[in-house]
Amino acid sequence: DAAEVTVSHTDLASFTALVDYLLSDKFDLGEEEGRAQRALDLRELAQMYQVPRLELLCAQALQESVAPATAVPLLEAAHTMGDGRLLAQCRRYVADHAAEVRASGGVEQLRDFGVAKGLLGDALDQVAELKGTVAALNGTQG
């Protein structure tokens, strides 16, 4: 009989990646597809088992993973984890690439009302800024 060990709060792939990193100092998130989620899962393990360098590598991979399809889920994860840097990067990305994020289904993935309020606030700020710019331009033309 083979002994079985249950490790809670993770999956086999993430825990295997943690053990591989600890044994070989190699950081590999695998294929591009699902990379952001693997980085999130591995970062959570790195925090849980106090592996700061791995946590930093995962944070860097998350910052590099911000794209139309991942911006909203990463924004929510950053909000939950309290990662201010990733949160700011994702908010900026959503503001700068709104059409692409919307087309990718990112808006439909939004589940956290706190994040939704923040994005709405960002959008309203942009509208106010645009109105101010238009008013200033109209004032210089008259």
Side-chain angles (χ1 to χ4, degrees):
D1 284 331
E4 189 173 298
V5 176
T6 302
V7 181
S8 58
H9 308 298
T10 191
D11 57 53
L12 180 60
S14 298
F15 194 75
T16 300
L18 171 68
V19 172
D20 286 346
Y21 174 79
L22 292 172
L23 293 175
S24 66
D25 199 36
K26 291 183 184 168
F27 178 69
D28 183 15
L29 292 173
E31 300 296 318
E32 196 64 34
E33 183 70 27
R35 183 177 170 87
Q37 186 59 52
R38 282 191 302 278
L40 281 170
D41 295 342
L42 192 53
R43 182 177 180 187
E44 186 177 328
L45 282 175
Q47 288 174 332
M48 187 183 315
Y49 292 103
Q50 300 177 6
V51 186
R53 183 170 178 271
L54 180 58
E55 191 177 341
L56 287 172
L57 290 169
C58 290
Q60 183 179 18
L62 287 169
Q63 290 171 4
E64 294 168 359
S65 296
V66 178
T70 61
V72 171
L74 287 176
L75 178 64
E76 288 186 310
H79 177 71
T80 300
M81 293 183 303
D83 183 338
R85 174 180 259 162
L86 183 59
L87 183 73
Q89 180 183 355
C90 291
R91 284 176 70 174
R92 205 170 32 255
Y93 188 91
V94 169
D96 293 345
H97 302 88
E100 296 98 317
V101 171
R102 189 177 185 100
S104 76
V107 176
E108 288 76 21
Q109 298 174 45
L110 191 57
R111 294 182 301 262
D112 186 314
F113 287 117
V115 171
K117 286 180 187 177
L119 289 176
L120 179 59
D122 290 347
L124 293 174
D125 289 346
Q126 283 187 323
V127 168
E129 187 177 314
L130 286 173
K131 282 185 174 182
T133 302
V134 168
L137 288 174
N138 287 338
T140 59
Q141 293 174 356

